[in-house]
Amino acid sequence: MTEIFSGNFTQQEPLPEDAIEAALAVLHHGRLHRYNVAPGELGETALLEQEFAVQMGAKYCLAVSSGGYALATALRAVGVQPGDPVLTNAFTLAPVPGSIASVGARAIFVGVTDNLTIDLEDLERKLDQARVLMLSHMRGHLCDMDRLMQMCDAAGVIVIEDCAHTMGAAWRGQLSGRQGAIGCYSCQTYKHVNSGEGGLLITDDEKLAAKATMLSGSYMLYERHLAAPGPEVFERIKYTTPNVSGRMDNLRAAILRPQLRDLDRQVDRWNERYREIEAGLRGTPGLTVVERPEDETYVGSSIQFLLLDWSPERIADVTSRCAARGVELKWFGGAEPTGFTSRYDSWRYFESERMPESDRVLAGVMDMRVPLTFSLEDCRLIARIIRAEVSAIYQS
């Protein structure tokens, strides 16, 4: 009998009860705006920032409306101006180049390896073309961060880390987002904590933290922040930093605080599921598993594999046959963007040179979410279905 998977690839777990109770408390008192606090009250958003800064080992934290807004704010904070070049990954999601476009800058795309990380050889060739690198840890894959930071520091290139897929991940024990000048995180439903939308920005640089806070729309209420620099830092930049409002509200912050306290346990659960699927895919004819370096601590909330040098028609057959059996695979190699899948040649608001080696990798990238609503047996079943359909097409 042909096995069918009946689960839902977009269904999240319910929010924890303490998050629901915290949300209800905010709804009952009605003070949703982060600066609308009662005398002596520490607002949920300010507490979230304080707690996340401690959790990440950072001096400063800012909560904002989305991960994409955090990226654009980081670019503005480091001084990127209209027309400036910004290095970034050829393999990422559209909000990353979108944030560059939103500040009027232009992207210079850097290639991708078959480990789905930024191509450090290509980066080295292009480091003299920009003073900022927006490094996307796309789909949770970390490159050799020691080497990358040595290269960028030597070239005087500022690194902004897009950690939308690496909240809780680490390179040689150092948490993702702590190597660059600024780390940016997403709290959107399909990320590692769920507030529908939301973003977090961390840094150890007091001027960058003050500028980001002013940019987010603090007006002159920055003293209500618990994870921000002292007022003397704001005094130096408050007249020259525009308000580009994108604050987080107390309702979303209340929902996030309990989830962040449980992050380590959730990471362990994702990785259990990831390893089950990975083990089931190993040895499949025609399928390349993306290997993880020993120095990387990852968060397996999604999984990728490669169908290298397959024709588009055969890859389309795999995705349609898996879909018929209930398994939703996303293909980043399609000529047309579909859903959230796109790549550097899809973003035609920027000019880009062809990168044949990267194009070969991108043409074969398959992607799949791994929700925590899946059981370990679900994961084994999913792997069997993918293995069977890839094998059938490969051998036909």
mmCIF file with all atom_site columns, all heavy atoms in Angstrom, residues 203-221:
data_model
loop_
_atom_site.group_PDB
_atom_site.id
_atom_site.type_symbol
_atom_site.label_atom_id
_atom_site.label_alt_id
_atom_site.label_comp_id
_atom_site.label_asym_id
_atom_site.label_entity_id
_atom_site.label_seq_id
_atom_site.pdbx_PDB_ins_code
_atom_site.Cartn_x
_atom_site.Cartn_y
_atom_site.Cartn_z
_atom_site.occupancy
_atom_site.B_iso_or_equiv
_atom_site.pdbx_formal_charge
_atom_site.auth_seq_id
_atom_site.auth_comp_id
_atom_site.auth_asym_id
_atom_site.auth_atom_id
_atom_site.pdbx_PDB_model_num
ATOM 1   N N   . THR A 1 203 ? 23.147 44.394 19.657 1.00 0.00 ? 203 THR A N   1
ATOM 2   C CA  . THR A 1 203 ? 24.465 44.939 19.364 1.00 0.00 ? 203 THR A CA  1
ATOM 3   C C   . THR A 1 203 ? 25.174 45.251 20.681 1.00 0.00 ? 203 THR A C   1
ATOM 4   O O   . THR A 1 203 ? 24.524 45.404 21.720 1.00 0.00 ? 203 THR A O   1
ATOM 5   C CB  . THR A 1 203 ? 24.375 46.210 18.494 1.00 0.00 ? 203 THR A CB  1
ATOM 6   O OG1 . THR A 1 203 ? 25.687 46.659 18.149 1.00 0.00 ? 203 THR A OG1 1
ATOM 7   C CG2 . THR A 1 203 ? 23.638 47.329 19.217 1.00 0.00 ? 203 THR A CG2 1
ATOM 8   N N   . ASP A 1 204 ? 26.485 45.352 20.607 1.00 0.00 ? 204 ASP A N   1
ATOM 9   C CA  . ASP A 1 204 ? 27.272 45.825 21.752 1.00 0.00 ? 204 ASP A CA  1
ATOM 10  C C   . ASP A 1 204 ? 27.725 47.267 21.561 1.00 0.00 ? 204 ASP A C   1
ATOM 11  O O   . ASP A 1 204 ? 28.378 47.828 22.442 1.00 0.00 ? 204 ASP A O   1
ATOM 12  C CB  . ASP A 1 204 ? 28.516 44.940 21.946 1.00 0.00 ? 204 ASP A CB  1
ATOM 13  C CG  . ASP A 1 204 ? 28.178 43.588 22.556 1.00 0.00 ? 204 ASP A CG  1
ATOM 14  O OD1 . ASP A 1 204 ? 27.056 43.418 23.062 1.00 0.00 ? 204 ASP A OD1 1
ATOM 15  O OD2 . ASP A 1 204 ? 29.056 42.697 22.515 1.00 0.00 ? 204 ASP A OD2 1
ATOM 16  N N   . ASP A 1 205 ? 27.384 47.856 20.432 1.00 0.00 ? 205 ASP A N   1
ATOM 17  C CA  . ASP A 1 205 ? 27.835 49.203 20.097 1.00 0.00 ? 205 ASP A CA  1
ATOM 18  C C   . ASP A 1 205 ? 26.787 50.221 20.564 1.00 0.00 ? 205 ASP A C   1
ATOM 19  O O   . ASP A 1 205 ? 25.658 50.228 20.081 1.00 0.00 ? 205 ASP A O   1
ATOM 20  C CB  . ASP A 1 205 ? 28.051 49.308 18.586 1.00 0.00 ? 205 ASP A CB  1
ATOM 21  C CG  . ASP A 1 205 ? 28.657 50.635 18.164 1.00 0.00 ? 205 ASP A CG  1
ATOM 22  O OD1 . ASP A 1 205 ? 28.012 51.674 18.375 1.00 0.00 ? 205 ASP A OD1 1
ATOM 23  O OD2 . ASP A 1 205 ? 29.771 50.624 17.605 1.00 0.00 ? 205 ASP A OD2 1
ATOM 24  N N   . GLU A 1 206 ? 27.158 51.098 21.488 1.00 0.00 ? 206 GLU A N   1
ATOM 25  C CA  . GLU A 1 206 ? 26.180 52.019 22.067 1.00 0.00 ? 206 GLU A CA  1
ATOM 26  C C   . GLU A 1 206 ? 25.628 53.009 21.054 1.00 0.00 ? 206 GLU A C   1
ATOM 27  O O   . GLU A 1 206 ? 24.438 53.352 21.095 1.00 0.00 ? 206 GLU A O   1
ATOM 28  C CB  . GLU A 1 206 ? 26.773 52.752 23.274 1.00 0.00 ? 206 GLU A CB  1
ATOM 29  C CG  . GLU A 1 206 ? 27.941 53.654 22.963 1.00 0.00 ? 206 GLU A CG  1
ATOM 30  C CD  . GLU A 1 206 ? 28.459 54.404 24.183 1.00 0.00 ? 206 GLU A CD  1
ATOM 31  O OE1 . GLU A 1 206 ? 28.168 53.994 25.321 1.00 0.00 ? 206 GLU A OE1 1
ATOM 32  O OE2 . GLU A 1 206 ? 29.155 55.423 23.989 1.00 0.00 ? 206 GLU A OE2 1
ATOM 33  N N   . LYS A 1 207 ? 26.456 53.469 20.126 1.00 0.00 ? 207 LYS A N   1
ATOM 34  C CA  . LYS A 1 207 ? 25.954 54.423 19.137 1.00 0.00 ? 207 LYS A CA  1
ATOM 35  C C   . LYS A 1 207 ? 24.973 53.750 18.184 1.00 0.00 ? 207 LYS A C   1
ATOM 36  O O   . LYS A 1 207 ? 23.921 54.321 17.847 1.00 0.00 ? 207 LYS A O   1
ATOM 37  C CB  . LYS A 1 207 ? 27.113 55.045 18.359 1.00 0.00 ? 207 LYS A CB  1
ATOM 38  C CG  . LYS A 1 207 ? 26.656 56.110 17.367 1.00 0.00 ? 207 LYS A CG  1
ATOM 39  C CD  . LYS A 1 207 ? 27.826 56.785 16.669 1.00 0.00 ? 207 LYS A CD  1
ATOM 40  C CE  . LYS A 1 207 ? 27.335 57.849 15.683 1.00 0.00 ? 207 LYS A CE  1
ATOM 41  N NZ  . LYS A 1 207 ? 28.466 58.510 14.973 1.00 0.00 ? 207 LYS A NZ  1
ATOM 42  N N   . LEU A 1 208 ? 25.305 52.533 17.736 1.00 0.00 ? 208 LEU A N   1
ATOM 43  C CA  . LEU A 1 208 ? 24.394 51.810 16.847 1.00 0.00 ? 208 LEU A CA  1
ATOM 44  C C   . LEU A 1 208 ? 23.070 51.523 17.566 1.00 0.00 ? 208 LEU A C   1
ATOM 45  O O   . LEU A 1 208 ? 21.999 51.630 16.972 1.00 0.00 ? 208 LEU A O   1
ATOM 46  C CB  . LEU A 1 208 ? 25.027 50.513 16.358 1.00 0.00 ? 208 LEU A CB  1
ATOM 47  C CG  . LEU A 1 208 ? 26.257 50.636 15.455 1.00 0.00 ? 208 LEU A CG  1
ATOM 48  C CD1 . LEU A 1 208 ? 26.763 49.258 15.053 1.00 0.00 ? 208 LEU A CD1 1
ATOM 49  C CD2 . LEU A 1 208 ? 25.923 51.464 14.206 1.00 0.00 ? 208 LEU A CD2 1
ATOM 50  N N   . ALA A 1 209 ? 23.152 51.149 18.842 1.00 0.00 ? 209 ALA A N   1
ATOM 51  C CA  . ALA A 1 209 ? 21.934 50.863 19.603 1.00 0.00 ? 209 ALA A CA  1
ATOM 52  C C   . ALA A 1 209 ? 21.078 52.115 19.746 1.00 0.00 ? 209 ALA A C   1
ATOM 53  O O   . ALA A 1 209 ? 19.846 52.064 19.601 1.00 0.00 ? 209 ALA A O   1
ATOM 54  C CB  . ALA A 1 209 ? 22.306 50.314 20.978 1.00 0.00 ? 209 ALA A CB  1
ATOM 55  N N   . ALA A 1 210 ? 21.696 53.245 20.031 1.00 0.00 ? 210 ALA A N   1
ATOM 56  C CA  . ALA A 1 210 ? 20.946 54.494 20.189 1.00 0.00 ? 210 ALA A CA  1
ATOM 57  C C   . ALA A 1 210 ? 20.306 54.912 18.867 1.00 0.00 ? 210 ALA A C   1
ATOM 58  O O   . ALA A 1 210 ? 19.133 55.308 18.827 1.00 0.00 ? 210 ALA A O   1
ATOM 59  C CB  . ALA A 1 210 ? 21.872 55.592 20.713 1.00 0.00 ? 210 ALA A CB  1
ATOM 60  N N   . LYS A 1 211 ? 21.063 54.808 17.783 1.00 0.00 ? 211 LYS A N   1
ATOM 61  C CA  . LYS A 1 211 ? 20.508 55.183 16.480 1.00 0.00 ? 211 LYS A CA  1
ATOM 62  C C   . LYS A 1 211 ? 19.344 54.279 16.100 1.00 0.00 ? 211 LYS A C   1
ATOM 63  O O   . LYS A 1 211 ? 18.320 54.751 15.605 1.00 0.00 ? 211 LYS A O   1
ATOM 64  C CB  . LYS A 1 211 ? 21.602 55.131 15.415 1.00 0.00 ? 211 LYS A CB  1
ATOM 65  C CG  . LYS A 1 211 ? 22.637 56.244 15.539 1.00 0.00 ? 211 LYS A CG  1
ATOM 66  C CD  . LYS A 1 211 ? 23.626 56.230 14.382 1.00 0.00 ? 211 LYS A CD  1
ATOM 67  C CE  . LYS A 1 211 ? 22.978 56.703 13.097 1.00 0.00 ? 211 LYS A CE  1
ATOM 68  N NZ  . LYS A 1 211 ? 23.963 56.829 11.985 1.00 0.00 ? 211 LYS A NZ  1
ATOM 69  N N   . ALA A 1 212 ? 19.504 52.976 16.312 1.00 0.00 ? 212 ALA A N   1
ATOM 70  C CA  . ALA A 1 212 ? 18.425 52.050 15.977 1.00 0.00 ? 212 ALA A CA  1
ATOM 71  C C   . ALA A 1 212 ? 17.171 52.357 16.795 1.00 0.00 ? 212 ALA A C   1
ATOM 72  O O   . ALA A 1 212 ? 16.048 52.316 16.280 1.00 0.00 ? 212 ALA A O   1
ATOM 73  C CB  . ALA A 1 212 ? 18.878 50.611 16.221 1.00 0.00 ? 212 ALA A CB  1
ATOM 74  N N   . THR A 1 213 ? 17.343 52.680 18.056 1.00 0.00 ? 213 THR A N   1
ATOM 75  C CA  . THR A 1 213 ? 16.206 52.998 18.926 1.00 0.00 ? 213 THR A CA  1
ATOM 76  C C   . THR A 1 213 ? 15.490 54.261 18.458 1.00 0.00 ? 213 THR A C   1
ATOM 77  O O   . THR A 1 213 ? 14.250 54.305 18.386 1.00 0.00 ? 213 THR A O   1
ATOM 78  C CB  . THR A 1 213 ? 16.680 53.156 20.380 1.00 0.00 ? 213 THR A CB  1
ATOM 79  O OG1 . THR A 1 213 ? 17.320 51.938 20.798 1.00 0.00 ? 213 THR A OG1 1
ATOM 80  C CG2 . THR A 1 213 ? 15.529 53.465 21.317 1.00 0.00 ? 213 THR A CG2 1
ATOM 81  N N   . MET A 1 214 ? 16.257 55.293 18.125 1.00 0.00 ? 214 MET A N   1
ATOM 82  C CA  . MET A 1 214 ? 15.652 56.520 17.605 1.00 0.00 ? 214 MET A CA  1
ATOM 83  C C   . MET A 1 214 ? 14.957 56.256 16.275 1.00 0.00 ? 214 MET A C   1
ATOM 84  O O   . MET A 1 214 ? 13.837 56.741 16.032 1.00 0.00 ? 214 MET A O   1
ATOM 85  C CB  . MET A 1 214 ? 16.729 57.594 17.429 1.00 0.00 ? 214 MET A CB  1
ATOM 86  C CG  . MET A 1 214 ? 17.344 58.105 18.719 1.00 0.00 ? 214 MET A CG  1
ATOM 87  S SD  . MET A 1 214 ? 16.194 59.057 19.752 1.00 0.00 ? 214 MET A SD  1
ATOM 88  C CE  . MET A 1 214 ? 15.882 60.483 18.711 1.00 0.00 ? 214 MET A CE  1
ATOM 89  N N   . LEU A 1 215 ? 15.604 55.483 15.406 1.00 0.00 ? 215 LEU A N   1
ATOM 90  C CA  . LEU A 1 215 ? 15.014 55.160 14.108 1.00 0.00 ? 215 LEU A CA  1
ATOM 91  C C   . LEU A 1 215 ? 13.679 54.432 14.271 1.00 0.00 ? 215 LEU A C   1
ATOM 92  O O   . LEU A 1 215 ? 12.741 54.661 13.506 1.00 0.00 ? 215 LEU A O   1
ATOM 93  C CB  . LEU A 1 215 ? 15.979 54.290 13.295 1.00 0.00 ? 215 LEU A CB  1
ATOM 94  C CG  . LEU A 1 215 ? 17.172 54.995 12.659 1.00 0.00 ? 215 LEU A CG  1
ATOM 95  C CD1 . LEU A 1 215 ? 18.270 53.997 12.317 1.00 0.00 ? 215 LEU A CD1 1
ATOM 96  C CD2 . LEU A 1 215 ? 16.740 55.753 11.395 1.00 0.00 ? 215 LEU A CD2 1
ATOM 97  N N   . SER A 1 216 ? 13.592 53.570 15.283 1.00 0.00 ? 216 SER A N   1
ATOM 98  C CA  . SER A 1 216 ? 12.385 52.749 15.449 1.00 0.00 ? 216 SER A CA  1
ATOM 99  C C   . SER A 1 216 ? 11.176 53.555 15.886 1.00 0.00 ? 216 SER A C   1
ATOM 100 O O   . SER A 1 216 ? 10.055 53.043 15.855 1.00 0.00 ? 216 SER A O   1
ATOM 101 C CB  . SER A 1 216 ? 12.651 51.630 16.455 1.00 0.00 ? 216 SER A CB  1
ATOM 102 O OG  . SER A 1 216 ? 12.685 52.124 17.784 1.00 0.00 ? 216 SER A OG  1
ATOM 103 N N   . GLY A 1 217 ? 11.409 54.785 16.322 1.00 0.00 ? 217 GLY A N   1
ATOM 104 C CA  . GLY A 1 217 ? 10.294 55.626 16.715 1.00 0.00 ? 217 GLY A CA  1
ATOM 105 C C   . GLY A 1 217 ? 10.162 55.791 18.216 1.00 0.00 ? 217 GLY A C   1
ATOM 106 O O   . GLY A 1 217 ? 9.058  55.747 18.763 1.00 0.00 ? 217 GLY A O   1
ATOM 107 N N   . SER A 1 218 ? 11.281 56.016 18.885 1.00 0.00 ? 218 SER A N   1
ATOM 108 C CA  . SER A 1 218 ? 11.241 56.185 20.338 1.00 0.00 ? 218 SER A CA  1
ATOM 109 C C   . SER A 1 218 ? 10.860 57.607 20.754 1.00 0.00 ? 218 SER A C   1
ATOM 110 O O   . SER A 1 218 ? 10.596 57.851 21.933 1.00 0.00 ? 218 SER A O   1
ATOM 111 C CB  . SER A 1 218 ? 12.614 55.846 20.940 1.00 0.00 ? 218 SER A CB  1
ATOM 112 O OG  . SER A 1 218 ? 13.578 56.807 20.544 1.00 0.00 ? 218 SER A OG  1
ATOM 113 N N   . TYR A 1 219 ? 10.821 58.523 19.764 1.00 0.00 ? 219 TYR A N   1
ATOM 114 C CA  . TYR A 1 219 ? 10.671 59.938 20.103 1.00 0.00 ? 219 TYR A CA  1
ATOM 115 C C   . TYR A 1 219 ? 11.752 60.283 21.139 1.00 0.00 ? 219 TYR A C   1
ATOM 116 O O   . TYR A 1 219 ? 12.911 59.942 20.938 1.00 0.00 ? 219 TYR A O   1
ATOM 117 C CB  . TYR A 1 219 ? 9.254  60.252 20.604 1.00 0.00 ? 219 TYR A CB  1
ATOM 118 C CG  . TYR A 1 219 ? 8.206  59.950 19.563 1.00 0.00 ? 219 TYR A CG  1
ATOM 119 C CD1 . TYR A 1 219 ? 7.569  58.711 19.517 1.00 0.00 ? 219 TYR A CD1 1
ATOM 120 C CD2 . TYR A 1 219 ? 7.872  60.884 18.586 1.00 0.00 ? 219 TYR A CD2 1
ATOM 121 C CE1 . TYR A 1 219 ? 6.632  58.429 18.531 1.00 0.00 ? 219 TYR A CE1 1
ATOM 122 C CE2 . TYR A 1 219 ? 6.930  60.606 17.603 1.00 0.00 ? 219 TYR A CE2 1
ATOM 123 C CZ  . TYR A 1 219 ? 6.314  59.387 17.580 1.00 0.00 ? 219 TYR A CZ  1
ATOM 124 O OH  . TYR A 1 219 ? 5.386  59.110 16.605 1.00 0.00 ? 219 TYR A OH  1
ATOM 125 N N   . MET A 1 220 ? 11.419 60.947 22.228 1.00 0.00 ? 220 MET A N   1
ATOM 126 C CA  . MET A 1 220 ? 12.406 61.221 23.279 1.00 0.00 ? 220 MET A CA  1
ATOM 127 C C   . MET A 1 220 ? 12.087 60.414 24.541 1.00 0.00 ? 220 MET A C   1
ATOM 128 O O   . MET A 1 220 ? 12.341 60.832 25.651 1.00 0.00 ? 220 MET A O   1
ATOM 129 C CB  . MET A 1 220 ? 12.440 62.727 23.591 1.00 0.00 ? 220 MET A CB  1
ATOM 130 C CG  . MET A 1 220 ? 12.814 63.572 22.383 1.00 0.00 ? 220 MET A CG  1
ATOM 131 S SD  . MET A 1 220 ? 14.427 63.116 21.685 1.00 0.00 ? 220 MET A SD  1
ATOM 132 C CE  . MET A 1 220 ? 14.153 63.463 19.935 1.00 0.00 ? 220 MET A CE  1
ATOM 133 N N   . LEU A 1 221 ? 11.546 59.199 24.322 1.00 0.00 ? 221 LEU A N   1
ATOM 134 C CA  . LEU A 1 221 ? 11.156 58.322 25.428 1.00 0.00 ? 221 LEU A CA  1
ATOM 135 C C   . LEU A 1 221 ? 12.145 57.174 25.611 1.00 0.00 ? 221 LEU A C   1
ATOM 136 O O   . LEU A 1 221 ? 11.802 56.126 26.167 1.00 0.00 ? 221 LEU A O   1
ATOM 137 C CB  . LEU A 1 221 ? 9.749  57.767 25.170 1.00 0.00 ? 221 LEU A CB  1
ATOM 138 C CG  . LEU A 1 221 ? 8.654  58.824 24.981 1.00 0.00 ? 221 LEU A CG  1
ATOM 139 C CD1 . LEU A 1 221 ? 7.337  58.184 24.558 1.00 0.00 ? 221 LEU A CD1 1
ATOM 140 C CD2 . LEU A 1 221 ? 8.463  59.635 26.263 1.00 0.00 ? 221 LEU A CD2 1
#
